Amino acid sequence: MTTAVFRPNPAPAAASFEAPELPPQLFRVLGTFVAMSGGDTDLELVGALADALLETPSYALMAEQLRRDPACAELIEARWIPPAHDLEQLAHMPEGSLGQAYAASLERLGYDPNLHAGMAPDSDAAYVELRLSQTHDLWHVITGFDTTVTGEIGLQAFHLTQFPYPLGAVLTAQALVSATLGAPELLPELVETIRTGLQMGLEARPLFAQRWEEGWELPLVEWREALQLRPFAERVGRL
């Protein structure tokens, strides 16, 4: 009688695995994200983050989404950039006008209104980011969000329900991470401000489509009424 010898079947050869090549802009995005989460509030970091995100498909998709609105599409097609702003002239416009309110805001903050003069975008996505950067402080005025960290993130949330803004998405996520880990006592106010910003963006007409500079003399209240926009301070009872 022979004794059978059990020989296990050889294990199958391990399938070869090649890790996908990570896009270099991912490391730039993560680097700025981590630096900002560590407390670095330098505005140049925001610019670096925007530059890195511009190289991702998300910005092209954002521009495509905006083009679905005829007024936004017209602005993008024309790559419309207004003449340089004269803050002194705007400051002398009627009290309560958009121009006067914008000039007062920039004077208080000490910002240069013509920081983007001479820039020539080479794509729809680059134009959209340039126009958003150029009018960022104007959006603060029209929406009523202040320039505190919480107010800035409220405005980013407003963007997100107007169109899928990559920079707004990352900045909002970064603020939530920072508050959760470093200042949890600020989280309730931050979350409520984000919620309000999202709701405001849903209700308002498209802000990107507006040629603000052609209506400096119009009262701020008329602009808000036309855009179906109830400002943040009024919503939270801070007026």
Side-chain angles (χ1 to χ4, degrees):
M1 179 177 178
T2 59
T3 303
V5 178
F6 174 72
R7 291 185 176 86
N9 292 326
S16 60
F17 173 76
E18 292 185 7
E21 185 177 349
L22 297 175
Q25 59 267 28
L26 174 62
F27 297 101
R28 293 169 59 196
V29 170
L30 291 176
T32 54
F33 190 100
V34 170
M36 294 169 74
S37 298
D40 192 337
T41 58
D42 192 330
L43 286 178
E44 289 187 4
L45 275 178
V46 178
L49 180 58
D51 288 343
L53 288 169
L54 266 169
E55 298 176 13
T56 68
S58 60
Y59 255 88
L61 291 170
M62 171 198 67
E64 288 179 18
Q65 177 80 17
L66 280 167
R67 273 187 171 274
R68 296 178 187 177
D69 179 272
C72 292
E74 181 182 349
L75 205 67
I76 294 170
E77 190 70 29
R79 303 274 173 90
W80 185 76
I81 297 292
H85 300 159
D86 184 336
L87 277 192
E88 186 175 352
Q89 184 181 24
L90 292 177
H92 286 87
M93 285 193 164
E95 185 75 22
S97 66
L98 177 62
Q100 184 272 331
Y102 177 65
S105 176
L106 261 65
E107 183 178 0
R108 183 177 68 255
L109 295 168
Y111 290 168
D112 178 1
N114 299 307
L115 192 62
H116 304 88
M119 293 186 180
D122 57 3
S123 67
D124 287 354
Y127 169 74
V128 171
E129 178 55 34
L130 173 61
R131 182 65 177 152
L132 288 172
S133 182
Q134 181 189 47
T135 58
H136 176 79
D137 296 301
L138 229 168
W139 283 47
H140 271 290
V141 171
I142 205 80
T143 60
F145 286 105
D146 62 28
T147 55
T148 63
V149 171
T150 302
E152 290 285 357
I153 300 306
L155 180 56
Q156 298 305 322
F158 178 94
H159 283 88
L160 292 177
T161 41
Q162 291 260 302
F163 56 90
Y165 186 31
L167 181 61
V170 174
L171 290 176
T172 302
Q174 183 277 323
L176 286 168
V177 170
S178 291
T180 300
L181 299 179
E185 69 281 2
L186 301 179
L187 197 56
E189 180 185 2
L190 177 63
V191 170
E192 180 59 22
T193 302
I194 291 171
R195 185 199 66 79
T196 303
L198 292 170
Q199 186 62 38
M200 288 172 63
L202 282 173
E203 295 173 3
R205 295 186 181 278
L207 265 63
F208 183 82
Q210 309 309 312
R211 300 192 182 206
W212 312 102
E213 297 86 351
E214 295 180 353
W216 286 130
E217 73 286 351
L218 294 177
L220 182 56
V221 65
E222 286 189 18
W223 268 107
R224 286 171 172 166
E225 288 173 358
L227 294 168
Q228 299 179 357
L229 182 56
R230 186 180 169 207
F232 175 74
E234 184 179 310
R235 287 173 177 265
V236 298
R238 292 182 183 174
L239 291 181

